[in-house]
Structure formats: structure tokens, C-alpha cells
Amino acid sequence: MPVKKKRKSSGSEDPSIRKCKITSYCRTQTPGRMVNPEDQFSNKKCLAWFYEYAGSDDIVGPESMEKFCEDIGVEPENIVMLVLAWKLEATNMGFFTKEEWLKGMTSLHCDCTERLQGRLDYLRSQLNDPVIFKSIYRYAFDFARDKDQRSLDMDTAKSMLALILGRTWPLFPVFHQFLEQSKYKVMNKDQWYNVLEFSRTVNTDLSNYDEDGAWPVMLDEFVEWHKARNIAL
Amino acid sequence: MAEDIQHNQKSNFNGLTKPAKAGASKKLIIKNFKDRPKLTDSYTEDTWLKLRDAVGAIQNSTSIQYNLEELYQAVENLCSYKVSPMLYKQLRQVCEDHVRAQIHQFREESLDSLSFLKRMNRCWQDHCRQTIMIRSIFLFLDRTYVLQNSLLPSIWDTGLELFRAHIVSDSGVQSRTVEGILEQIERERNGETVDRSLLRSLLGMLSDLQVYKDSFEQRFLTETTRLYAAEGQRLMQDRDVPEYLHHVARRLEEENDRVISYLDQSTQKPLIAAVEKQLLGEHMTAILQKGLRTLLDESRECELTLLYELFNKVKGGLTALLQSWREYIKSSGGEIVSSPEKDKEMVQELLDFKDKMDLVSQRCFQRNDTFINAMKEAFENFINKRPNKPAELIAKYVDSKLRAGNKEATEEELERILDKIMIIFRFIHGKDVFEAFYKKDLAKRLLVGKSASVDAEKSMLSKLKHECGAAFTSKLEGMFKDMELSKDVMIQFKQYMQNQTDPSNIELTVNILTMGYWPSYIPMDVHLPAEMVKLQEVFKLFYLGKHSGRKLQWQPTLGHAVLKTEFKEGKKELQVSLFQTLVLLIFNEADECSVEEIRTATGIEDGELKRTLQSLACGKARVLNKTPRGKEVEDADRFHFNSDFRHKLFRIKINQIQMKETVEEQVSTTERVFQDRQYQIDAAVVRIMKMRKTLSHNLLVSELYNQLKFPVKPADLKKRIESLIDRDYMERDKENANQYHYVA
């Protein structure tokens, strides 16, 4: 489970310091960028930056990824890392290839740690746009998927859902519980996509859920399970 | 005589009027009358006194001093002299006085009601008689004066009017009369005999006086309603439903009789309606709830017929009966179908139940189409309440009937049973389950040679074809074709064998089964004796020489053989399965074997082997002995050949075991059906999506329900749809999750 793998050495020593760094940097950086932003981006610098982390195989692997996270002051399991990966169109969780890096960082105008730190708020703000959020959500499925499998194994799916929907969807804890007790071993793409639709359109009390609708059976079962449990309580 | 006078008079008139009109062909000379003779002044006075006396005599029923002709003449004379109005007035006055005087006899309080009625009747009869008499005398007045004058009632009507005004309209008298009549009717209803002619006469009177409706009918109907409301309540409590129904029928008959005997015809409708409402309408639900089940359970045709007829009369009656009948079939049928412990008898019970319900609808419910349709609908409903099992059991029931050794039925009876089965079969939704089990059983019948009659098999096949179409039976027909082809092949093979240099001492019969037509059998590897293996090779060479490119696979589970055996008693032939054969052949070499040794030698799978040993050592014909003895075969058991075996027959069949269905077989057949259904759903989804390209979920589901011929839950459909999405046969619309697109 890649998400967890990265977590082990993420030092939680001083998040406050990190935050300070970011904010202070933002303040000084903003005027500079406004003077002449084009000039300041350099392909060469960006490439060099890439090789700070990448090994000889032209890829940033899980180990260097942690270092990278530490450098930009973000925990690996922070959602902004998902947005960044989406921006870079990274295909595999825990890896950035050279092409992904160059293409993505260029579009972000980032060639060094500080610049990227300056763009983190922008990346976070992307989550507020529902259309972009949906595309990030859908991207997350393929991103997190073991490329040998068609579907997401259930543990990864649960962690990813917690990351993306955990804070915004009130029913998430219940849904998580449902998945815990269900017999499902994997979550397929269709189910994944529909969980977002479900979280967006169905009321917290499930009052507007249409059993005859096209919802995947997994969600039918969730609703049934939840209702039965509510009666039992 | 009266006629004559009238005639004369008329001709006088004619004499006066006719010439004015005619005058064409005949000439008539008109002469004036001579002067009218004058009457004496006292004539009018005297004549009236005479007439009054006569009227008085009639009214007092004494003899009249004058002869009637004289009186009639007197009236005529008076009328001719234009004193009609006065005469009429005077006559009316005399009558009125008389009628008014009659009231006193009804004032007597002490009179009991029957005597009162009798007195009233007498008074009325007298009045009528008198009025007729008086009218006869005053007929001339009636005809010439009263009838010409539309405002005046005729003498007869005057009489009625007077009687009504002075006698019957008296509230005391009227109510006593009506009360009295009602009392008599109530007595009669309670079973007493009453004077019906008296009632008829009095009710006729009320009718003639035109007070029947207002004074009597209304009260009568109220009374009837009250009486039968109470009776209905009471009897519904006290009596059971059949008794009650008979009672109601009798009541209705009585009331109809009452109408014919003494009530006015117009009362019939409201009266019968009131009785029906009170005795039936009010108790419909109770009758149906309390009684219908028992009546149907016990097939009480007579009461059911009555029930139908009675309910037919009441508004909403048949609808209620129909509803209850449907419910009854659903619940009774549901009981038959839904108790697994009674599965063995289910089909027979269904057939009996259907027969019973058919009988009721034919004989008792007048073949009413709505009832027959409701029955069909109810059957379909309950039989599908429990999925799959009824279909399976029907297939097995047919098998039991088509199997050899079923001596209970002649050809015609069998045919009839099959027809009935088809009716039940028609109700089944999951016909594929039936097909799977039917096919499995048919295969066994054909292969083990246990089919009772080819004709019956073919007949059943054509029934199925007729019912479900050629696609349903094509594989079954293929099985029959295989059997016929195999026969031809065997003839050729025999000739082939004769030309062989190394003739075998075993006779081999092979049935060649086309894959796909037959149920799939799990191939089982067993150790055949060398002779058999050799023969198999010979056949293979022969067959593939004729049909190159085919693949032969031997199915030892289906084989059977006849073994020649020598017991102490003498030679016997044993008809046994191939597995049994393999086991028995071991005992050609060994005297005693353990289960393990037999297993190694034959290679038969454990469960199958134990069943085989059980059939040989624990069944009816025990050609093997088992130690220790017992019904079940254990791993530690040892077997030896039973040379003391005795049997009255020369050829003994021990291969019934092959016909028996094992639990695994049952499970795998059912599973195969379910698997097939999944494929069918998938195929249907793809077919629909390919045609429509884009379709909403609900439309797709309803289209699927149209196409699929077996029962399926929406969730099952969804699972298949999701699976197809997962396998990229289709996809969900990116924006609208309720919409699917076909993926080419």
C-alpha cells in the first residue's frame, strides 16, 4: 500500500516551522514573480532540480519522493500531493518520471523547491472547483491502481477515499465502516466513479436515494445496510 | 236488454247527426220529432225517491222493491230530461252518507287485529259489490253524463274515492289495517300459516285505493329490512355458512312466493333487493371469510353453486367472491409449493389442486371467464413464489411418468397426465430450470434404456415444442436423433466386426452423443479391463475411419453391461452399470477385497464407489457380501462374492442406481442453469446496447425484462451491467450516471 509506505519516515517534528517557511517565502516571492515571471523559469534549472531526486534510471522513486516531500514541507499523504501528481499527470503513485516532471513543472512554472512551495496554495485551491475536483477524483483511481489490476484493492481504495472525500463527505465514516464489513475485496472503476456522484447528490439521510436508479449494487447494499443499521439503533 | 235500449238511443242520435255529414249518395228525409211529452212536475222527485230507496236497499243488503230494469229505465228517463247533474249529486250524497256511517264499526278498540282485518275486508267487499250494483242501475248516468265530463269521477271511482276519504284515510283505521297486515306477514315469515286470500284482498284494496305505496309498501319494506337485518346478524353468528346460504336461498324463494301470492307486483324489486342486501350484501365479507375456505377445501359443489348464484344477485358480490377465490388459490397453492419437506408430493398435489379448482369453476361458477382467468393468474403467482424448485420437480414428475416400469397408467392416461402437467408448466416462469432437469432425466432414460414408450416421449416433446417454440426443444430433439443415428452406426459396426480377424467375445453397443445436445458429464477416468479397452480402440478406429476429424470421449458413468454369472443356484445374468461391472469383475480373481483395494483396482471415485458397493451389497439383490453387515459402506468394510445368491429371475437388474439422481447432480444442474442465465443476461444487455448505442438505465432494465424469459431480480441485472462496464463492453455516461453507452 503505497500511501502508507511513504508515511513511515515523514518526520512530524515541526509542522509549525514548515508553515512559517512557506508563508514567509510566499510574501517575498510574490512581488518578484510579478516583475518578470517568464524570465525566472529555466528548463535547465528544472532538470537539475529533477536530478536532485531522480537516480540514474531517470525516475523519482518512493525514497526520493519522501525527501522531495520533506523539502517542500508537505506530508506525503497530504492531498496536495495528489493534486500535484494530477498536475504532473503521473501514472504511478510514488513515482515521477522525467517527462512527467518536466512537462508538469513547466506548466506550473516551477524550477525549484521555493517556487513550488509558492504554488501549493494554488494547487490546493484547485480542489474547490467541482469540475477539476471530479477530474482529480477520477484520476486518483488510475493513479492509485496497481497497474496489473483492473480494480483498486479495497485497502488502497479506503485510504484514497479517506484522503479525498474524508473531510468533505459527512457519510464517509459510515461508508468506510460499510466497506470494512463488506465482502468486497476490490473496488472497480465504475464503483469508484459512482461513490463521488453518490457523495455529491445523495442527502446525508439518504432520503433522495433511488433504489431503482443505476447506482452500482455496492451502493444499493450500502444504503440498505445503513438503513437497517439505523433501524436497529 | 240494457244494450238494446242503448242501441235505440244511439240510432236516434244518428238520425240527427248523420245527414249533416253525408248526403252524397242516399237521400234521407229528416223529419222533426214531435213535441216532447212533458213530464209531470213530481216525476223527478218521485223517481229519485224510488231510486234512493233502491240504493238504500242495496247498501243495507235488503231486497229491492223495484225490478232493476224499471230502475234503469228511470235513470235513463231522468237523464233524458237533463237532470243528470242533480241526479249525480244526489247519488253521491247518498253514497257518501252511507260510507261515512261505516267508519263506526272500525272504531271498536276491543277488536283483535285479525278480526279487524276481516271486518275491513268484509266492508270493502260489500262496498265493491254495492258500488257495482249501483253503477249497474245508474249505468246510463255514468255513460252519458259522468264520462262526458272529465272533471267528474265515474260512479265506481266515486265509490273508491269515498271509501278512501272516509274509511281508509282515517289515520287510526289505516294504521290498524296496515299494522294488521304487517303482523300477518310477520307471522307468516315466522312460519305460521295465515289467510293469504284475506291479505291479497286487503292489499288489493290498498292498491285500488292508490294508497298501497304510501301507506303500506314503505312500512313493509322498512319492516322487512329491520327483520332481515336482525335475522342476518343472528344467523351469521349461530349458523355455519352452508346452512346460512341455504337459509338465504329459502328466504328469497319465500319472498318471491309472497309477491306472487298477495303483494303487488311492483313490490318485488325493492323487496327482493332489501332481502338480498340485508341477508347477503351486509355479510359478504363475513361469509367469504368464514365459509369460502371450508367450502373450497371440502369441494362442496352444491353450496358453492348456491354461493355463486346468491352473490351474483348482490351488487359487488361477484367481485368480492372473485377476490376471495383468488386469495384462496394463492394461499392454498402457496402452502403446497413452499414447504420443502413436502417436495415429493408437490407436483401431484398441484395437479389435484388444479383439478379441484377447475371443477369448481366449471360446475359452480358457471365457467365464468373472469374466475377462470383469476385462477390462472393466482396459479402463476403462487407457483413462482418459490423460484426454480417447482420447475425442477415438474421435470422430475414427468420423468417418473415416462420411465419404464411405470405401470400405473395406460397410454391414454399418460397422455392426459402429460396434458395436465403442461398446464401447470405453463405457469412456470423459469422454464430453463425445467429444461435442464428434463434434459438430464431424458438423457438417462434414453441411455440406460429406461424410457417407457417412444411415443410418449415424442408426444411430450411436441407438447413442449408447441408451448415454448422450436428453440426450446431443438437440443432435446437432437438427443433423439443421436439415438437413432447410433442404432445405424451399431448395425454397421456389427458387420465391421464380423469381418475382423480377431473377433471379441464381448458385444459392444455405443451411443454417440453430440456435445451440446446432451447434459455435460464430468469425464471420469476408470481402469477398464484390457478386453474393453481393446474393443474401445477397435470402435474408435471404425468410427473415425467413417467420420474423420471427430473426437470421441468415453463416458464411463453412463455405461451399462450384462454379466453372465455362475452362482451355486445356477447361471444368472446381471444387468449392471459399468461401475458395478468393474467392481464385480474384480471378484473373478479375488475372493475378498477391501474398499481400498477395489478403489485402486477400478479407479472409481470414492463417493461413486461407495454408492456402487452399496447397491451390490446392501440393496435388494445382494451379489456381494459385506462384513460387517450394515446399510452403509464404511472404509474398513470388506467384501466377498456371494455365491449363495438366489433369485427367482434369470436376468436381474441391479442398475437402478444409475437412474437415481445424486445431490451433486441436482446442485450442478441448478448451478448450470444459473450460469446460463448470467450469459443470457450479458448477451441481452450487449444486444440491446449494440442496437441502441445509448440508453438510460431504466429503459435498459425494462427492455431486459421484455427479452428475458426467466425471473430475475433488478439487482442481478445491475450486477451483470456492472460486470459488462468493468469488461469495457459498455460505459457509463461521464456526466449522467443513469445513462449507458455501448462501447464498440
Side-chain angles (χ1 to χ4, degrees):
Chain A
M1 211 197 71
V3 180
K4 273 185 190 157
K5 217 189 285 168
K6 287 184 285 180
R7 189 182 292 161
K8 62 187 173 203
S9 65
S10 74
S12 59
E13 331 103 66
D14 43 5
S16 51
I17 296 171
R18 246 185 252 150
K19 238 177 207 163
C20 285
K21 250 202 259 174
I22 295 162
T23 43
S24 65
Y25 185 82
C26 282
R27 234 177 275 138
T28 51
Q29 209 268 344
T30 323
R33 245 181 68 203
M34 284 172 72
V35 174
N36 203 346
E38 289 303 314
D39 277 358
Q40 286 189 341
F41 179 77
S42 133
N43 268 327
K44 220 171 151 187
K45 209 173 157 197
C46 188
L47 193 64
W49 186 32
F50 173 72
Y51 280 113
E52 274 181 42
Y53 301 104
S56 51
D57 50 354
D58 282 354
I59 199 160
V60 179
E63 301 289 311
S64 354
M65 190 65 80
E66 275 179 34
K67 172 83 169 54
F68 171 70
C69 289
E70 207 179 320
D71 288 349
I72 59 169
V74 174
E75 305 90 12
E77 63 270 29
N78 193 311
I79 191 163
V80 80
M81 286 309 291
L82 177 66
V83 184
L84 180 65
W86 166 75
K87 207 69 190 172
L88 264 57
E89 293 172 37
T91 44
N92 284 316
M93 187 151 59
F95 296 92
F96 290 143
T97 64
K98 190 170 154 189
E99 290 76 32
E100 289 163 0
W101 181 284
L102 288 178
K103 193 163 165 254
M105 290 301 184
T106 309
S107 74
L108 277 169
H109 294 294
C110 293
D111 50 13
C112 60
T113 314
E114 293 74 19
R115 284 192 157 215
L116 181 60
Q117 280 174 330
R119 297 291 276 163
L120 287 179
D121 283 338
Y122 160 74
L123 288 176
R124 278 200 191 86
S125 72
Q126 297 283 289
L127 293 166
N128 298 329
D129 181 329
V131 178
I132 296 178
F133 183 85
K134 185 171 174 179
S135 112
I136 294 172
Y137 178 89
R138 292 193 164 198
Y139 160 80
F141 179 83
D142 283 319
F143 177 59
R145 179 166 60 94
D146 185 337
K147 297 299 174 286
D148 302 334
Q149 309 278 316
R150 294 189 57 88
S151 304
L152 216 50
D153 75 82
M154 196 44 89
D155 286 333
T156 317
K158 280 188 287 199
S159 319
M160 283 310 275
L161 281 176
L163 180 66
I164 310 173
L165 293 177
R167 266 170 298 177
T168 50
W169 183 29
L171 274 178
F172 175 74
V174 192
F175 187 66
H176 190 269
Q177 263 181 296
F178 164 76
L179 293 178
E180 289 282 318
Q181 59 84 52
S182 78
K183 59 191 187 313
Y184 287 100
K185 294 271 189 295
V186 294
M187 189 182 279
N188 67 29
K189 195 180 210 163
D190 189 52
Q191 289 161 343
W192 175 264
Y193 283 7
N194 275 282
V195 169
L196 177 67
E197 294 302 317
F198 186 92
S199 75
R200 284 182 165 186
T201 55
V202 177
N203 298 344
T204 316
D205 61 358
L206 305 176
S207 53
N208 62 341
Y209 186 79
D210 175 16
E211 280 109 352
D212 300 327
W215 295 113
V217 176
M218 177 194 266
L219 289 168
D220 285 339
E221 287 170 358
F222 166 59
V223 171
E224 206 174 299
W225 174 83
H226 186 44
K227 283 183 174 167
R229 219 173 55 134
N230 277 356
I231 290 165
L233 285 176
Chain B
M1 158 111 176
E3 282 299 305
D4 279 346
I5 297 165
Q6 195 186 3
H7 184 73
N8 290 343
Q9 190 60 37
K10 268 215 177 120
S11 54
N12 273 349
F13 274 116
N14 284 351
L16 277 171
T17 51
K18 219 176 186 175
K21 273 197 236 164
S25 56
K26 267 187 188 174
K27 278 196 176 172
L28 282 174
I29 301 153
I30 301 159
K31 287 178 185 168
N32 279 338
F33 279 120
K34 289 173 214 160
D35 281 343
R36 274 183 174 217
K38 285 262 186 326
L39 285 174
T40 48
D41 290 343
S42 62
Y43 181 78
T44 316
E45 191 71 13
D46 294 345
T47 314
W48 165 243
L49 286 176
K50 215 157 102 188
L51 285 169
R52 198 187 62 188
D53 285 350
V55 170
I58 291 169
Q59 284 170 340
N60 296 319
S61 304
T62 48
S63 60
I64 311 167
Q65 331 175 0
Y66 316 97
N67 79 32
L68 294 172
E69 188 188 349
E70 195 180 334
L71 292 169
Y72 183 90
Q73 194 64 53
V75 171
E76 185 180 344
N77 289 342
L78 286 177
C79 287
S80 321
Y81 285 92
K82 317 265 187 204
V83 286
S84 304
M86 200 192 60
L87 183 61
Y88 178 75
K89 229 177 183 170
Q90 280 168 327
L91 175 64
R92 188 187 158 96
Q93 191 57 48
V94 172
C95 290
E96 189 165 358
D97 291 344
H98 175 73
V99 171
R100 195 177 278 154
Q102 297 297 313
I103 191 77
H104 299 297
Q105 60 176 317
F106 299 114
R107 297 274 190 229
E108 256 177 81
E109 293 296 329
S110 61
L111 224 53
D112 71 274
S113 70
L114 186 58
S115 318
F116 180 88
L117 289 183
K118 280 185 176 153
R119 185 174 286 185
M120 172 60 79
N121 187 37
R122 203 170 52 241
C123 177
W124 165 249
Q125 297 294 352
D126 287 348
H127 176 78
C128 291
R129 210 184 53 245
Q130 289 158 12
T131 313
I132 289 169
M133 197 72 171
I134 292 168
R135 188 185 56 178
S136 300
I137 294 171
F138 289 87
L139 192 65
F140 195 82
L141 175 74
D142 210 20
R143 295 268 163 88
T144 57
Y145 172 69
V146 182
L147 279 184
Q148 309 294 321
N149 195 331
S150 60
L151 291 172
L152 294 176
S154 69
I155 294 176
W156 172 252
D157 287 340
T158 312
L160 294 182
E161 190 190 302
L162 293 173
F163 197 81
R164 177 168 62 228
H166 296 296
I167 308 285
V168 172
S169 289
D170 181 281
S171 64
V173 173
Q174 191 186 82
S175 74
R176 270 192 97 177
T177 313
V178 172
E179 298 282 348
I181 296 172
L182 290 175
E183 190 189 317
Q184 292 300 311
I185 294 177
E186 186 157 347
R187 280 187 182 192
E188 193 186 39
R189 279 174 174 160
N190 287 338
E192 293 177 36
T193 356
V194 296
D195 185 351
R196 287 189 152 199
S197 59
L198 173 68
L199 289 174
R200 180 167 47 221
S201 163
L202 285 170
L203 288 168
M205 168 187 89
L206 295 178
S207 203
D208 287 344
L209 297 177
Q210 295 177 337
V211 292
Y212 178 84
K213 271 218 150 40
D214 299 329
S215 66
F216 173 75
E217 194 184 41
Q218 271 177 356
R219 296 247 349 242
F220 172 67
L221 290 176
T222 325
E223 281 299 302
T224 307
T225 305
R226 192 186 53 74
L227 176 80
Y228 285 123
E231 181 171 290
Q233 294 284 356
R234 196 180 70 242
L235 294 185
M236 270 310 288
Q237 294 271 323
D238 297 351
R239 300 198 183 175
D240 60 12
V241 169
E243 237 183 298
Y244 183 79
L245 291 174
H246 283 300
H247 178 79
V248 174
R250 205 177 59 240
R251 277 303 194 197
L252 285 171
E253 209 176 294
E254 279 172 17
E255 293 302 331
N256 270 316
D257 181 47
R258 199 154 285 138
V259 173
I260 293 165
S261 311
Y262 54 80
L263 293 171
D264 191 88
Q265 198 56 37
S266 66
T267 310
Q268 184 181 31
K269 258 198 176 157
L271 170 65
I272 298 301
V275 178
E276 281 168 356
K277 181 165 186 295
Q278 292 310 323
L279 289 183
L280 289 172
E282 298 289 318
H283 305 290
M284 271 186 328
T285 338
I287 291 174
L288 291 174
Q289 274 177 2
K290 200 172 143 194
L292 186 63
R293 174 162 279 271
T294 334
L295 291 182
L296 287 170
D297 277 347
E298 296 169 8
S299 297
R300 292 173 69 163
E301 286 180 26
C302 162
E303 279 84 5
L304 285 168
T305 314
L306 187 59
L307 181 73
Y308 180 88
E309 282 168 2
L310 290 176
F311 272 56
N312 198 5
K313 297 174 179 184
V314 197
K315 189 164 165 270
L318 282 194
T319 327
L321 179 58
L322 184 72
Q323 183 62 27
S324 299
W325 149 261
R326 193 185 283 127
E327 291 307 319
Y328 170 80
I329 297 177
K330 279 186 193 169
S331 75
S332 297
E335 278 166 31
I336 298 175
V337 169
S338 59
S339 37
E341 66 277 7
K342 278 165 68 189
D343 277 354
K344 269 188 186 159
E345 298 93 48
M346 185 204 288
V347 179
Q348 189 57 52
E349 279 189 29
L350 280 176
L351 289 173
D352 295 346
F353 185 56
K354 180 74 174 52
D355 277 352
K356 199 164 130 183
M357 293 302 106
D358 276 343
L359 215 65
V360 171
S361 64
Q362 300 286 330
R363 294 205 187 150
C364 308
F365 295 166
Q366 302 176 356
R367 297 164 197 255
N368 186 326
D369 279 344
T370 34
F371 277 77
I372 294 174
N373 287 336
M375 170 171 71
K376 286 181 186 163
E377 186 197 312
F379 260 87
E380 192 170 330
N381 178 293
F382 80 72
I383 222 168
N384 288 300
K385 275 263 168 63
R386 184 167 172 209
N388 308 326
K389 201 69 189 179
E392 179 191 327
L393 292 175
I394 290 173
K396 287 179 182 163
Y397 184 85
V398 177
D399 176 55
S400 77
K401 294 295 170 197
L402 289 176
R403 221 183 249 190
N406 171 28
K407 293 187 182 73
E408 56 189 290
T410 63
E411 289 269 312
E412 292 83 32
E413 277 167 353
L414 187 59
E415 189 66 21
R416 233 185 355 261
I417 291 173
L418 293 181
D419 279 334
K420 282 183 179 173
I421 278 286
M422 288 311 292
I423 293 171
I424 302 276
F425 171 72
R426 213 165 284 154
F427 298 129
I428 297 279
H429 284 161
K431 294 195 166 55
D432 47 353
V433 177
F434 174 88
E435 193 216 350
F437 281 95
Y438 184 78
K439 189 158 109 174
K440 176 180 70 66
D441 292 334
L442 173 63
K444 280 192 182 172
R445 289 199 299 276
L446 292 177
L447 294 177
V448 187
K450 290 282 186 180
S451 181
S453 123
V454 180
D455 289 346
E457 293 282 3
K458 290 264 164 84
S459 148
M460 183 66 197
L461 204 57
S462 78
K463 285 186 214 303
L464 287 172
K465 192 171 181 174
H466 180 73
E467 189 63 37
C468 305
F472 189 82
T473 50
S474 68
K475 287 182 180 169
L476 302 177
E477 279 166 5
M479 290 164 73
F480 280 99
K481 204 175 285 163
D482 275 352
M483 293 307 285
E484 275 157 29
L485 286 177
S486 296
K487 255 183 225 158
D488 295 344
V489 171
M490 281 337 286
I491 293 169
Q492 294 167 4
F493 181 60
K494 254 187 203 131
Q495 290 168 349
Y496 175 82
M497 284 303 279
Q498 279 164 3
N499 302 333
Q500 287 285 305
T501 45
D502 177 23
S504 164
N505 57 348
I506 313 174
E507 219 179 295
L508 175 70
T509 311
V510 181
N511 287 316
I512 297 139
L513 317 182
T514 313
M515 273 264 245
Y517 286 171
W518 297 74
S520 48
Y521 300 102
I522 307 141
M524 217 180 262
D525 259 334
V526 291
H527 308 314
L528 295 180
E531 296 94 333
M532 288 192 184
V533 176
K534 198 177 140 212
L535 207 53
Q536 276 188 349
E537 286 306 316
V538 172
F539 179 80
K540 203 169 164 185
L541 216 63
F542 158 78
Y543 186 76
L544 295 182
K546 294 171 74 69
H547 308 275
S548 61
R550 290 196 186 174
K551 194 175 164 243
L552 281 181
Q553 187 179 44
W554 298 90
Q555 293 288 359
T557 37
L558 304 173
H560 55 103
V562 176
L563 297 183
K564 290 180 179 160
T565 326
E566 258 182 76
F567 294 102
K568 280 181 188 158
E569 194 191 20
K571 281 190 177 179
K572 296 275 183 199
E573 281 188 0
L574 302 177
Q575 189 172 346
V576 288
S577 75
L578 183 62
F579 289 160
Q580 287 170 326
T581 309
L582 296 181
V583 171
L584 289 175
L585 287 179
I586 291 175
F587 292 93
N588 276 341
E589 273 97 48
D591 286 335
E592 194 182 80
C593 287
S594 70
V595 177
E596 190 51 43
E597 283 163 344
I598 299 174
R599 182 167 28 237
T600 328
T602 60
I604 302 172
E605 175 267 334
D606 192 48
E608 197 69 49
L609 178 65
K610 282 195 175 149
R611 257 199 305 282
T612 308
L613 285 170
Q614 204 177 9
S615 69
L616 293 171
C618 312
K620 273 183 190 153
R622 299 185 179 185
V623 288
L624 292 184
N625 278 335
K626 180 173 91 81
T627 42
R629 289 170 168 274
K631 285 268 173 201
E632 301 297 320
V633 174
E634 305 294 339
D635 280 337
D637 289 348
R638 298 187 69 78
F639 295 86
H640 58 267
F641 183 65
N642 177 17
S643 50
D644 297 323
F645 178 76
R646 285 171 181 278
H647 202 283
K648 59 181 189 299
L649 297 174
F650 173 66
R651 179 182 270 205
I652 305 141
K653 292 178 187 172
I654 328 180
N655 65 340
Q656 281 84 352
I657 184 175
Q658 269 182 307
M659 291 301 285
K660 280 213 185 98
E661 182 199 58
T662 61
V663 180
E664 296 89 60
E665 252 183 320
Q666 196 270 340
V667 171
S668 75
T669 308
T670 316
E671 265 170 13
R672 212 172 317 120
V673 173
F674 291 154
Q675 193 61 46
D676 268 3
R677 285 185 181 179
Q678 306 231 312
Y679 295 142
Q680 286 193 46
I681 298 174
D682 287 2
V685 173
V686 172
R687 202 163 49 231
I688 295 167
M689 290 310 297
K690 189 171 181 181
M691 192 166 70
R692 303 295 188 84
K693 303 298 180 212
T694 293
L695 205 59
S696 80
H697 175 76
N698 291 349
L699 285 176
L700 174 60
V701 169
S702 67
E703 185 77 9
L704 282 172
Y705 274 114
N706 281 343
Q707 291 203 5
L708 297 173
K709 293 194 180 77
F710 45 85
V712 59
K713 289 203 271 305
D716 296 336
L717 292 182
K718 264 195 193 179
K719 275 184 192 150
R720 299 319 301 161
I721 293 172
E722 280 174 50
S723 155
L724 288 169
I725 291 177
D726 205 33
R727 285 180 284 156
D728 293 332
Y729 281 95
M730 55 196 283
E731 64 184 10
R732 231 180 256 273
D733 188 271
K734 292 213 167 50
E735 302 308 319
N736 180 1
N738 260 317
Q739 190 99 357
Y740 302 121
H741 299 291
Y742 177 65
V743 177

